[in-house]
Amino acid sequence: MTLRTARLELSMPTLDDVDAITAAAQDPEVPRWTTVPSPYTREHAEEFIAKAAAWWDEQSELTWGIRRDGQWIGMIGLHRVSPEGAAEIGFWMSVSARGHGYLSEAARAVIDFGFAEPLSLARIEWRAIVGNVASARTARRLGFRYEGMLRRGLPHRDARHDGWIAGILPDDDRAPQPWPILAD
């Protein structure tokens, strides 16, 4: 399933993306806030791409590579897609792609896809380890409603960490809402 926006194409990651994914995952902020292995190798990228294809077949995880002018710049997905109508959005971008609004643009397309047929999700969640302010700002900008903190709710690097959680429903106003954890 390919999604297109004004500036981006979102499609399943392919072996052509391996080098870009591997290079982007070397940024220490990526493993700090995501579940990618650290250190990250080319083999990790190859394994991930194979898994992503299998997840699409199962419809359990829907992962897209984000591309600008044909070049991979980030990853976004709906994770843990449940038959009961819920999923969790997750994303990360290469350093060079940050600050251009690409992530918000891609996420809007993914959210719209999740709420439309055939998925017709009733809820999309966003979760992040406490302290991931950049991700929180993106979620707020997309219209997610802050719902609270999950004490030791997120497993990460062989430990459990406090996590923030937010959600968005199909009929929610997508305008940014106040979040008590964000001062700006």
Side-chain angles (χ1 to χ4, degrees):
M1 170 60 60
T2 299
L3 306 176
R4 289 183 175 76
T5 70
R7 302 180 295 169
L8 306 171
E9 179 180 286
L10 285 67
S11 59
M12 193 163 40
T14 70
L15 291 175
D16 291 339
D17 301 321
V18 167
D19 291 336
I21 293 169
T22 303
Q26 303 312 303
D27 170 19
E29 290 298 296
V30 174
R32 177 179 180 193
W33 302 117
T34 70
T35 59
V36 301
S38 181
Y40 196 87
T41 66
R42 181 178 176 78
E43 291 75 28
H44 288 123
E46 291 168 346
E47 290 170 6
F48 170 75
I49 289 166
K51 287 179 187 176
W55 294 331
W56 267 99
D57 289 343
E58 298 165 0
Q59 295 288 292
S60 61
E61 305 241 353
L62 310 177
T63 303
W64 292 267
I66 304 169
R67 293 178 184 77
R68 167 92 169 131
D69 298 326
Q71 299 300 312
W72 182 95
I73 60 170
M75 199 68 71
I76 191 164
L78 292 172
H79 308 291
R80 291 180 284 290
V81 178
S82 76
E84 295 80 30
E88 179 183 339
I89 195 166
F91 42 74
W92 63 279
M93 299 292 285
S94 64
V95 171
S96 63
R98 295 178 196 155
H100 301 282
Y102 300 140
L103 182 53
S104 295
E105 187 175 329
R108 284 185 188 94
V110 169
I111 291 166
D112 289 345
F113 175 83
F115 288 142
E117 292 286 337
L119 290 182
S120 301
L121 295 173
R123 171 184 172 81
I124 298 175
E125 292 182 353
W126 164 91
R127 296 173 187 227
I129 293 172
V130 168
N132 191 345
V133 173
S135 185
R137 285 185 180 134
T138 298
R140 179 182 64 184
R141 191 169 30 257
L142 294 166
F144 280 81
R145 306 299 200 276
Y146 178 78
E147 296 174 340
M149 186 178 72
L150 303 166
R151 296 178 315 134
R152 293 190 188 156
L154 301 180
H156 186 66
R157 308 277 174 248
D158 299 322
R160 297 203 61 87
H161 298 268
D162 292 346
W164 292 322
I165 186 168
I168 192 167
L169 307 179
D171 56 351
D172 280 348
D173 176 0
R174 302 260 184 105
Q177 303 295 312
W179 281 35
I181 60 166
L182 297 174
D184 59 332

